[in-house]
Amino acid sequence: QVQLVESGGGLVQPGGSLKLSCAASGDIVSVKAMGWYRRAPGKERELVAIITSSVSTNYADSVKGRFTISRDNVKNTVYLQMNSLKPEDTAVYYCNVQGYGGSTYSFKNLWGQGTQVTVSS
């Protein structure tokens, strides 16, 4: 069984910072990509940032220069450092992990439970 546990969300003032973490446990033995998505009220879920197995990264235009995605392979954890936060960053943030594992080495597409980030003065 694979689990993704997210933490680090909360309430922060505009211009402040938060760091999200997502720890993966289970039978994934080959991680292809880890990323963060978010869903704001009344909006579709959107990609925020992703880091691949080759350590390449991609960011949504709205967060470039403010957010940084990183990973710790030993802890099997992905992080999202969020700086210069704006009210429009308010959303539920979801961790996503894609890879292969299990007895049949099948493809896995996993989601965390979501963590609320609220940016308000």
Side-chain angles (χ1 to χ4, degrees):
Q1 183 177 346
V2 178
Q3 297 185 76
L4 303 181
V5 180
E6 301 181 35
S7 63
L11 175 64
V12 66
Q13 293 185 330
S17 298
L18 286 173
K19 187 174 183 178
L20 307 182
S21 65
C22 175
S25 63
D27 60 356
I28 293 183
V29 298
S30 180
V31 175
K32 305 305 295 183
M34 307 180 78
W36 293 92
Y37 292 74
R38 68 185 181 187
R39 178 176 289 155
K43 296 183 178 180
E44 297 290 327
R45 183 177 62 191
E46 65 175 350
L47 175 68
V48 177
I50 189 169
I51 184 167
T52 70
S53 59
S54 61
V55 202
S56 64
T57 58
N58 286 288
Y59 296 90
D61 289 340
S62 60
V63 307
K64 287 181 179 177
R66 300 188 297 119
F67 291 10
T68 302
I69 188 170
S70 62
R71 69 182 189 184
D72 184 329
N73 290 334
V74 175
K75 298 180 179 179
N76 205 16
T77 300
V78 62
Y79 304 93
L80 185 68
Q81 178 66 52
M82 304 184 293
N83 299 324
S84 302
L85 283 162
K86 304 175 180 179
E88 50 263 44
D89 295 318
T90 296
V92 178
Y93 285 70
Y94 297 91
C95 175
N96 175 254
V97 176
Q98 296 175 263
Y100 297 87
S103 60
T104 61
Y105 199 68
S106 59
F107 178 73
K108 309 290 185 180
N109 187 20
L110 308 174
W111 293 92
Q113 81 280 6
T115 184
Q116 177 71 50
V117 172
T118 302
V119 185
S120 179
S121 59

